[in-house]
Amino acid sequence: ESGEQVVNFQHAIIATGSRPALPRAFDIGSPRVMTSTGALELADVPGELLVVGGGYIGMEMGTVYARLGSRVTVVEALDSILAGADADLSRLVIAYGRKLFKEIRVKTAIRALAVKGDRVRATMETNGAVTEASFDRVLIAVGRVANSAGLGLEHTQVKCDARGCLVVNERQQTAEPSVYAIGDVAGGDEDRGVGVGVEVLTEEQDRVLVFALMKQANTEILSCCLGVLIDFQETLEHLVRVVESAVSQTAEPEAVQ
């Protein structure tokens, strides 16, 4: 059906998700500058790939393309990739990334992007020193933005935080009693419970690359991020121990009767 429709409800759940962030400074109107969505739709593998952002999305996508043959450079403005992750675990990702990628640059800001022919020229600043380099494509991986606009929420009591995420309580209820919000539009699961995502990429026969992301309850940072090349059986056993430990640490004690 087309045209305006009116739907009456007693309760509603908003689950509109999020989209990759593309800061205005990087939105130069070229398909050679892409987000993680575009990176999953490429028809070819770029020879030289610049990844802007050393978070888990940038590291994951960079790893995929490096494994496909791209020469990958990762640039992160902070002093370490996977900032906020457990240092003892993120260093494994860093060590592996330095072997797999062409280069990892930290404390580096992208000052400008410009298309030159069939390449993208990036102006970078590291500790006050400005350099330039050209790439076939640039992947912007600097976070995600909640899809909270255009929902008519201004006509309700629903509130958004500074990031545009809907504010909810422990029951996922917004300030409008009949409206609930879940998933990325409500800030994801960063403050509630444990979420584990594992991606396995086979290499040769019995070796795999494993990325494990774990969010501890009641924290705002990733508490565990692994990127380590090890035997498959050892990987599975280690992940089981990590998950069991996280569950035991985040389980709330039963009330004493």
Side-chain angles (χ1 to χ4, degrees), residues 106-186:
V106 296
K107 298 182 180 179
T108 300
I110 301 297
R111 295 306 182 195
L113 295 175
V115 176
K116 301 293 183 181
D118 59 354
R119 306 267 284 177
V120 180
R121 178 165 290 277
T123 302
M124 297 172 276
E125 181 177 346
T126 305
N127 295 324
V130 177
T131 59
E132 291 187 343
S134 293
F135 304 88
D136 294 302
R137 292 186 184 272
V138 177
L139 168 62
I140 307 300
V142 292
R144 299 185 66 84
V145 180
N147 292 324
S148 57
L151 302 179
L153 299 178
E154 64 274 13
H155 304 298
T156 71
Q157 300 180 59
V158 175
K159 305 297 182 185
C160 293
D161 64 16
R163 300 176 299 161
C165 298
L166 305 190
V167 178
V168 297
N169 60 20
E170 67 280 357
R171 299 177 60 242
Q172 302 298 128
Q173 186 180 41
T174 68
E176 184 72 47
S178 62
V179 178
Y180 296 76
I182 61 175
D184 283 0
V185 74

Side-chain angles (χ1 to χ4, degrees), residues 81-120:
I81 65 171
L82 298 173
D86 186 289
D88 289 333
L89 296 170
S90 64
R91 64 182 174 81
L92 297 176
V93 183
I94 296 172
Y96 182 76
R98 292 195 184 282
K99 294 179 181 179
L100 183 64
F101 300 153
K102 176 182 177 181
E103 186 178 10
I104 295 178
R105 295 188 183 187
V106 296
K107 298 182 180 179
T108 300
I110 301 297
R111 295 306 182 195
L113 295 175
V115 176
K116 301 293 183 181
D118 59 354
R119 306 267 284 177
V120 180

Side-chain angles (χ1 to χ4, degrees), residues 20-33:
L22 183 59
R24 186 173 302 176
F26 299 150
D27 188 5
I28 61 174
S30 171
R32 293 190 174 278
V33 178

